[in-house]
Amino acid sequence: MAEAETNTIINDKDDQETVPKIITFLSSLLQRVAESNDHCRLFQSQKISVFHGLTRPTISIKSYLERIFKYANCSPSCFVVAYVYLDRFVQMQPSLPINSYNVHRLLITSVLVSAKFMDDMYYNNAYYAKVGGISTVEMNLLEVDFLFGLGFQLNVAPTTFHTYCTFLQREMCMQIQSPLQQSLPQPSFNIGRPLKIHCCFNEDESSHHHQLAV
C-alpha cells in the first residue's frame, strides 16, 4: 500500500502539464513554510547565510521547481530526496529557517546534491547554475556549504523515503480539502502559530522512527 502511494506521488502527472505531482506537492508545502518563517522574521532574528538573496526572487517556488525539473532532467525521486535533505539541513542548522529569501538557492542546491547521489547521469555545476540563475562560483559555494550543513549525511533509507512521500501526499489532500473548509470553523491549534520545525520531520536514521513536528 505504501509503495503504491509512493509511486503515485512520484509518477502521476498533473493534467495540464507533464510535471510530476511531487513538484506541486513540494512547492505548496515550501510556500507555506517560507511564508510562515517570513512572518517569524518580524519577531525574531534569523541568521544570514550564503543562501540568502538581497531581495525576494520574482519567480514563484512552483515555477522555479518546474524549471529545475524541465531542464535538469533528473529523476522525480530526486525531488523527494532533495526534500529530505532540506529537512535535515534546517534541523541541523536551526538558525537558518527556510524563507522567501533563501528557499530558491536551497532548492537548486538540494536538487543538485540529490541528483549526484541518486542518478547515474547528471549535469555539472555550471549547468545547474544556469538553470538556477546564479553563477558557477556561487553554485560551487552553495554545494559545499550545503554538504557541510548536512554533515555529509546523504544516505536516505527506503523507509525514510516512503515516509516523506506519505507526508507530501497528505499535505496535498489538506490543500484540496481547504477550500471546502474555509466556511467552517477552523481548529484553534492551527491558527496563528508559526511552524516550529521548518519542513516536517525529526528523523532518526538508525531506528527509522519519524515524528511529525509541526
Side-chain angles (χ1 to χ4, degrees):
M1 181 68 176
E3 184 175 354
E5 291 179 352
T6 300
N7 290 334
T8 296
I9 190 175
I10 293 176
N11 297 319
D12 274 14
K13 306 287 199 306
D14 287 330
D15 293 337
Q16 57 184 5
E17 295 288 347
T18 58
V19 177
K21 288 184 177 179
I22 175 64
I23 302 299
T24 303
F25 292 7
L26 184 55
S27 63
S28 176
L29 174 62
L30 290 176
Q31 184 68 44
R32 288 199 307 109
V33 171
E35 290 176 354
S36 174
N37 289 324
D38 286 346
H39 179 72
C40 290
R41 291 184 63 189
L42 302 175
F43 306 101
Q44 56 184 324
S45 61
Q46 297 179 3
K47 182 180 177 181
I48 302 300
S49 72
V50 295
F51 296 98
H52 282 71
L54 296 177
T55 59
R56 296 183 184 183
T58 55
I59 185 172
S60 69
I61 295 175
K62 185 174 187 293
S63 295
Y64 195 66
L65 269 175
E66 289 175 349
R67 175 179 171 82
I68 296 173
F69 175 78
K70 179 179 179 180
Y71 293 107
N73 291 320
C74 58
S75 62
S77 297
C78 285
F79 290 90
V80 179
V81 174
Y83 174 40
V84 177
Y85 290 166
L86 285 173
D87 198 26
R88 288 178 182 173
F89 184 86
V90 296
Q91 289 185 60
M92 297 179 72
Q93 310 297 326
S95 62
L96 296 176
I98 292 176
N99 57 45
S100 296
Y101 294 86
N102 63 21
V103 62
H104 295 76
R105 285 179 173 81
L106 284 169
L107 273 173
I108 190 66
T109 309
S110 62
V111 174
L112 165 67
V113 172
S114 66
K116 288 185 175 183
F117 189 78
M118 292 285 292
D119 291 349
D120 295 328
M121 299 181 64
Y122 51 83
Y123 290 112
N124 60 23
N125 286 26
Y127 183 85
Y128 268 90
K130 291 181 179 179
V131 173
I134 57 179
S135 69
T136 303
V137 172
E138 185 176 8
M139 185 76 263
N140 293 339
L141 177 63
L142 294 177
E143 180 186 21
V144 171
D145 202 82
F146 191 73
L147 288 170
F148 274 97
L150 285 174
F152 291 86
Q153 297 180 24
L154 301 181
N155 188 54
V156 177
T159 50
T160 301
F161 186 89
H162 294 317
T163 301
Y164 277 76
C165 285
T166 300
F167 180 82
L168 286 171
Q169 183 100 26
R170 185 165 54 192
E171 275 292 306
M172 183 50 61
C173 289
M174 291 173 61
Q175 292 294 320
I176 293 173
Q177 292 173 2
S178 60
L180 300 176
Q181 297 173 342
Q182 287 179 354
S183 60
L184 301 176
Q186 297 296 314
S188 59
F189 61 81
N190 216 20
I191 296 178
R193 192 185 72 168
L195 300 183
K196 293 174 64 178
I197 206 77
H198 308 296
C199 279
C200 64
F201 296 110
N202 285 329
E203 181 184 20
D204 182 353
E205 284 283 9
S206 61
S207 63
H208 308 317
H209 177 69
H210 313 274
Q211 294 180 327
L212 186 62
V214 174

